[in-house]
Amino acid sequence: METGVRTMLDARGERFWADVETLWEYHRLRHPLRRCSAGVALGCHDLSVATHAAELYHRGLFPVVVFTGGNSRETCRTFPRGEGVHYRERALELGVPDEAILLEPHATNTGENITLSRKVLASAGIPVTSLALVSMPYMERRAYATTRKVWPEVDPVCSSVPLSLAEYMKSRRHGTELIDMIVGDLQRVIEYPEHGFAIAQDVPSIVYDAYQRLVAAGFRSRML
């Protein structure tokens, strides 16, 4: 582990670093990028999602992007006008033309991100057969599983900032809270299919065992 990252973790977090990396690698799907009908950038507390979406747009990977998200308890102070609104403003700063941006300002969860973005794209008359999903790294798998459930007609390609776990933690200054978020997302990957929110994903035993150890160690603040 890098020295700079080590100083951000207490002894408890450092002790379980290998397990966190196991979950991190599982969450990241590493889909090969290809041109899609549209992009959807999923609102969260991390503005780099909008930055990455702008980069993908400039690389020609989609002609239009939906910035989706209202507010949550994590983002109401950081993005007081709503996640999608702040994302849009960031993309404009980075040179994405206004006519290539669609805004969805109401979604409060991932299912709504996808279903409401679908309606926005349909209202704009944009036919969609493939979708680029831009999210935080540890949200890729859940975004994919959710989209395959609520919009099965499209073929989603997931992408996030190309950073290692150590690089991401260092740049975001989350400390051990990031571990809780990574654990919480895996719980949702496991449990959401039972509620009809997402398709089931295979969870290898090495991933599930790492998850169980992290839960037992107390990284539970972002669990359901």
Side-chain angles (χ1 to χ4, degrees):
M1 195 192 316
E2 295 178 6
T3 303
V5 177
R6 185 181 293 111
T7 61
M8 297 163 56
L9 293 173
D10 57 24
R12 181 183 60 137
E14 184 175 346
R15 187 167 70 250
F16 291 96
W17 184 256
D19 286 337
V20 182
E21 286 194 310
T22 296
L23 267 61
W24 175 267
E25 292 302 320
Y26 174 75
H27 282 308
R28 301 195 70 180
L29 298 175
R30 303 187 186 279
H31 286 162
L33 295 178
R34 65 178 187 275
R35 183 170 173 82
C36 294
S37 306
V40 172
L42 303 176
C44 63
H45 57 268
D46 189 346
L47 196 59
S48 73
V49 174
T51 301
H52 188 59
E55 178 187 347
L56 297 181
Y57 170 82
H58 287 305
R59 290 170 58 183
L61 292 172
F62 38 78
V64 63
V65 56
V66 182
F67 292 113
T68 169
N71 271 131
S72 68
R73 63 185 176 89
E74 291 86 4
T75 64
C76 60
R77 291 186 180 180
T78 306
F79 302 137
R81 296 185 303 283
E83 299 156 4
V85 172
H86 285 266
Y87 276 23
R88 174 183 175 275
E89 292 170 353
R90 177 60 173 157
L92 290 171
E93 291 174 356
L94 295 172
V96 178
D98 193 34
E99 59 268 23
I101 296 174
L102 296 173
L103 178 63
E104 188 296 295
H106 303 297
T108 59
N109 57 58
T110 307
E112 289 182 356
N113 285 139
I114 303 304
T115 56
L116 295 179
S117 292
R118 181 179 187 176
K119 292 179 180 179
V120 167
L121 287 161
S123 296
I126 299 171
V128 177
T129 57
S130 58
L131 199 64
L133 294 177
V134 188
S135 69
M136 295 181 293
Y138 60 87
M139 192 179 168
E140 282 191 24
R141 186 174 291 275
R142 181 160 64 89
Y144 173 83
T146 302
T147 302
R148 293 298 296 149
K149 180 67 177 184
V150 303
W151 196 355
E153 297 85 0
V154 302
D155 182 17
V157 176
C158 295
S159 185
S160 60
V161 291
L163 299 176
S164 69
L165 173 59
E167 291 168 335
Y168 190 83
M169 178 169 277
K170 183 177 181 180
S171 65
R172 300 313 185 272
R173 303 291 178 184
H174 281 315
T176 54
E177 185 183 21
L178 178 60
I179 303 177
D180 295 73
M181 291 187 280
I182 292 170
V183 169
D185 253 61
L186 184 54
Q187 183 197 28
R188 287 159 175 79
V189 167
I190 294 169
E191 296 190 10
Y192 274 6
E194 297 179 7
H195 302 285
F197 299 155
I199 65 167
Q201 299 281 283
D202 177 59
V203 181
S205 59
I206 188 173
V207 175
Y208 190 75
D209 290 347
Y211 163 74
Q212 291 283 72
R213 285 191 291 268
L214 291 168
V215 172
F219 296 101
R220 297 190 293 264
S221 71
R222 297 306 181 96
M223 296 183 73
L224 299 170

